[in-house]
């Protein structure tokens, strides 16, 4: 599979941190333009990143966990919320995660606290039934996001304008559905996604799609690649294909999935351009990555 030549013009809104970043990026020929669809104030959380910090099993923020029972939830099946305990850094962006077909929240439990420790409030949910299809999972992701930002015990820790969704398999298909229904979302990350709908040309949420080379359930040729190709170049999209990986790669600890997801969330939810270095040009093909594509020239950050 071919790898596209990266292009590097990053767009974002004004802020003190943004102004400093603009100086360096301008020297590299990168234009910074605010997105009309995003929270555009820089929202950096934590120290300057490095490969080692985004690959770490735990980030710089200590976290705590609280659970939402199925009976207390409305429109989804309850779940676990992981959040930074730090109260000196202001509010945080939020991420809602959905599992795949026949699976429960336990299948994504490895990544939820990992992302939270990087400075996000993360809601790892159960669906109403394990057989719910992508459209239903998309609605449940949005219902969980509304609960998280409006009713949960940690709602005051969240900037409700900075919400992202992600999910595995049919949860990944649901992620695309949620992004199509709610363009105000700041980011979407479908992981080895499955959906019968192949075109998402009207989606306007920055989307990182993770495919797996040896996926025999949602093959990249029938699912991840058509999804990626159908998405508009702006406000941003990327595709990473895991080398020699199966459909279930997102269900166990995976450094490539974690670091790419963290970088994507930091860049588009937090408008933190310190993380653009991990996305543009992104990883090279090698032991863990089969292929990487991006539309950096069209990013709106």
């Amino acid at each position: 599979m071919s790898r596209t030549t990266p292009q590097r013009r990053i767009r974002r809104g004004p802020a003190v941190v943004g102004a400093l970043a603009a100086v360096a990026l301008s020297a590299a020929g990168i234009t910074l333009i605010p997105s009309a669809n995003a929270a555009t104030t820089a929202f950096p959380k934590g120290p300057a990143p490095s490969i080692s910090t985004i690959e770490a099993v735990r980030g710089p923020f200590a976290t705590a966990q609280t659970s939402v029972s199925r009976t207390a939830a409305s429109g989804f099946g309850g779940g676990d919320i992981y959040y930074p305990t730090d109260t000196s850094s202001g509010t945080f962006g939020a991420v809602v995660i959905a599992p795949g077909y026949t699976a429960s929240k336990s299948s994504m439990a490895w990544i939820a606290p990992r992302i939270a420790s990087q400075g996000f409030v993360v809601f790892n949910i159960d669906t109403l039934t394990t057989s719910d299809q992508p459209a239903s999972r998309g609605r449940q992701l949005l219902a969980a996001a509304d609960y998280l930002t409006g009713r949960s015990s940690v709602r005051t820790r969240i900037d409700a304008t900075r919400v992202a969704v992600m999910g595995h398999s049919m949860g990944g298909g649901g992620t695309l559905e949620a992004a199509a229904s709610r363009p105000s979302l700041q980011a979407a990350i479908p992981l080895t996604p499955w959906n019968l709908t192949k075109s998402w040309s009207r989606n306007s949420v920055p989307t990182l799609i993770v495919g797996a080379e040896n996926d025999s359930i949602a093959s990249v040729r029938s699912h991840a690649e058509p999804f990626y190709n159908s998405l508009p170049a702006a406000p941003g999209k990327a595709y990473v294909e895991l080398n020699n990986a199966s459909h279930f790669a997102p269900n166990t600890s995976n450094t490539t999935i974690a670091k790419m997801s963290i970088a994507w969330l930091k860049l588009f939810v937090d408008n933190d351009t310190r993380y653009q270095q991990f996305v543009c040009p992104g990883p090279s093909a090698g032991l863990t990555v089969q292929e990487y594509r991006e539309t950096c020239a069209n990013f709106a950050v």
Side-chain angles (χ1 to χ4, degrees), residues 121-175:
V121 176
V122 182
F123 199 2
N124 185 33
I125 68 168
D126 272 327
T127 47
L128 294 171
T129 77
T130 58
S131 61
D132 291 332
Q133 299 297 296
S136 174
R137 290 170 192 264
R139 291 190 294 271
Q140 292 179 61
L141 280 164
L142 296 180
D146 291 340
Y147 177 91
L148 183 63
T149 59
R151 295 174 50 206
S152 75
S153 61
V154 298
R155 62 188 180 279
T156 59
R157 296 176 178 266
I158 300 169
D159 181 337
T161 69
R162 299 177 185 273
V163 178
V165 291
M166 65 188 299
H168 171 236
S169 190
M170 283 195 181
T175 298

Side-chain angles (χ1 to χ4, degrees), residues 31-58:
T31 303
L32 303 181
I33 304 172
S35 164
N37 189 47
T40 55
T41 302
F43 202 62
K45 303 292 178 181
S50 66
I51 286 290
S52 62
T53 62
I54 66 169
E55 289 187 346
V57 174
R58 288 294 178 268

Side-chain angles (χ1 to χ4, degrees), residues 229-249:
N229 291 334
S230 73
L231 290 165
K237 64 177 179 176
Y239 171 74
V240 59
E241 186 174 311
L242 304 175
N243 189 35
N244 196 32
S246 78
H247 181 71
F248 300 102

Side-chain angles (χ1 to χ4, degrees), residues 78-80 82 97-115 122-127 129-130 137 166-172 191-192 247-254 257:
D80 297 322
Y82 302 85
I97 305 174
Y101 185 69
T102 75
S104 69
K105 64 185 180 183
S106 63
S107 66
M108 302 303 295
W110 71 271
I111 197 171
R114 191 162 176 168
I115 291 174
V122 182
F123 199 2
N124 185 33
I125 68 168
D126 272 327
T127 47
T129 77
T130 58
R137 290 170 192 264
M166 65 188 299
H168 171 236
S169 190
M170 283 195 181
L191 306 171
T192 58
H247 181 71
F248 300 102
N251 294 151
T252 56
S253 182
N254 186 295
I257 291 174

Side-chain angles (χ1 to χ4, degrees), residues 1 168-170 191-194 210-224 227 239 241-250:
M1 297 182 184
H168 171 236
S169 190
M170 283 195 181
L191 306 171
T192 58
W194 187 98
V210 177
E213 182 185 17
N214 295 336
D215 192 332
S216 60
I217 294 174
S219 72
V220 294
R221 288 180 176 82
S222 298
H223 294 270
F227 300 160
Y239 171 74
E241 186 174 311
L242 304 175
N243 189 35
N244 196 32
S246 78
H247 181 71
F248 300 102

Side-chain angles (χ1 to χ4, degrees), residues 265-289:
L265 294 167
K266 287 288 191 177
L267 187 58
F268 287 103
V269 176
D270 287 357
N271 300 100
D272 190 343
T273 55
R274 297 178 300 174
Y275 287 82
Q276 65 91 19
Q277 62 183 299
F278 308 112
V279 177
C280 299
S284 300
L287 184 63
T288 59
V289 174

